[in-house]
């Protein structure tokens, strides 16, 4: 199975900050990576697919980059509604493994 | 509007069985692969199982292989997960998830989840 290492596991930031979360795959996955946002008690919500394509309706302050083994999610100007947990996931092969998550908290 | 509604969760004793259902609407159910993903309390997401659009192919995580069975009834637009020999570590919210087909099969819609608690 492909392992996905996500970092950091948590971070504290202020509204307006630029935030970066990274994921590293244990082997090359081309651009078969998605990013999800999850708020407490809710299902994950798709933000980005194909490593860098923004899902319809997702604010443009979210962006993704990378290919192969190294990927990044950036929130350019953190808003209050962005405080949540973020997960990356590879869909290159089965099992469709997830990163361990990054909890973005208010500083 | 795509909707995925899980049901069937609840409290079950270790060694017991439970069947989860996921009722789908708002899309052509028979055209898409479907998945189950779970999340233990306070933990991250764990991939559980997948089934192809026509039910001909299935996948199971090692942690559930031989105990869980995924199936679908395309005439009823419903996905199932039959769980047996349940263990405490199977306690989690179980999500029904739809993926796209073709060259970029990412997960585009998730249900709200159903809680399974395995405890005596």
């Amino acid at each position: 199975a492909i392992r996905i290492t996500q970092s950091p596991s948590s971070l504290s930031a202020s509204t307006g900050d630029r935030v970066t979360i990274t994921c590293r795959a244990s082997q090359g996955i081309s651009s078969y990576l998605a990013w999800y946002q999850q708020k407490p008690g809710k299902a994950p919500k798709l933000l980005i697919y194909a490593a860098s394509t923004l899902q319809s309706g997702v604010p443009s302050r979210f962006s993704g980059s990378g290919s192969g083994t190294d990927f990044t999610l950036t929130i350019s100007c953190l808003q209050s509604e962005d405080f949540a947990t973020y997960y990356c996931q590879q869909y290159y092969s089965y099992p469709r493994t997830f990163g361990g998550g990054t909890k973005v908290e208010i500083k | 509007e795509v909707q995925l509604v899980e049901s069937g969760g609840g409290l079950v004793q270790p060694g017991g069985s439970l069947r989860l259902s996921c009722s789908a609407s708002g899309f052509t159910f028979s055209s898409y692969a479907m998945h189950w993903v779970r999340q233990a309390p306070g933990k991250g997401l764990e991939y559980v199982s997948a089934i192809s659009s026509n039910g001909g192919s299935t996948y199971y995580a090692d942690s559930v292989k031989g105990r869980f069975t995924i199936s679908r009834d395309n005439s009823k637009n419903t996905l199932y997960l039959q769980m047996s020999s349940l263990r405490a570590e199977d306690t989690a919210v179980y999500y029904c998830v739809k993926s796209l087909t073709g060259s970029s099969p990412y997960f585009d819609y998730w249900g709200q989840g159903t809680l399974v608690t395995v405890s005596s």
Side-chain angles (χ1 to χ4, degrees):
Chain A
I2 296 174
R3 296 183 310 278
I4 305 292
T5 303
Q6 187 173 343
S7 61
S9 56
S10 66
L11 65 91
S12 295
S14 301
T15 303
D17 284 353
R18 181 183 182 89
V19 167
T20 299
I21 299 168
T22 64
C23 282
R24 173 165 288 176
S26 60
Q27 65 185 75
I29 58 170
S30 185
S31 296
Y32 293 96
L33 188 106
W35 290 95
Y36 303 91
Q37 177 194 67
Q38 187 180 34
K39 296 184 177 179
K42 300 294 187 181
K45 169 191 167 185
L46 175 67
L47 297 176
I48 287 169
Y49 61 93
S52 61
T53 303
L54 209 61
Q55 172 71 344
S56 176
V58 174
S60 59
R61 61 182 179 273
F62 290 92
S63 64
S65 64
S67 67
T69 60
D70 294 315
F71 303 87
T72 299
L73 172 70
T74 300
I75 310 172
S76 60
C77 183
L78 200 65
Q79 300 300 300
S80 58
E81 59 265 32
D82 302 335
F83 291 98
T85 300
Y86 295 84
Y87 294 92
C88 58
Q89 182 212 21
Q90 64 82 19
Y91 50 94
Y92 180 82
S93 67
Y94 284 100
R96 308 293 204 221
T97 41
F98 293 91
T102 297
K103 186 172 184 179
V104 177
E105 299 175 299
I106 301 172
K107 182 182 285 184
Chain B
E1 177 193 7
V2 171
Q3 286 200 314
L4 299 170
V5 180
E6 302 94 337
S7 60
L11 176 63
V12 60
Q13 292 189 339
S17 298
L18 208 57
R19 188 177 83 157
L20 306 183
S21 300
C22 171
S23 177
S25 61
F27 65 103
T28 306
F29 181 72
S30 59
S31 295
Y32 296 92
M34 298 293 296
H35 312 259
W36 290 99
V37 174
R38 69 185 180 183
Q39 187 170 34
K43 302 297 185 181
L45 300 168
E46 180 187 11
Y47 189 73
V48 174
S49 185
I51 188 166
S52 60
S53 57
N54 65 4
S57 297
T58 58
Y59 173 85
Y60 299 96
D62 287 345
S63 57
V64 307
K65 198 174 297 181
R67 300 187 298 121
F68 289 12
T69 301
I70 191 171
S71 62
R72 64 192 296 162
D73 185 335
N74 285 346
S75 68
K76 296 182 178 179
N77 290 347
T78 302
L79 175 72
Y80 302 101
L81 186 68
Q82 178 69 47
M83 305 185 295
S84 61
S85 302
L86 283 162
R87 307 165 180 167
E89 54 265 36
D90 295 318
T91 294
V93 173
Y94 285 73
Y95 294 103
C96 166
V97 188
K98 169 186 172 291
S99 66
L100 290 185
T101 56
S103 60
S104 195
Y106 56 88
F107 292 179
D108 58 347
Y109 288 97
W110 298 61
Q112 85 287 352
T114 187
L115 176 63
V116 172
T117 302
V118 184
S119 176
S120 54

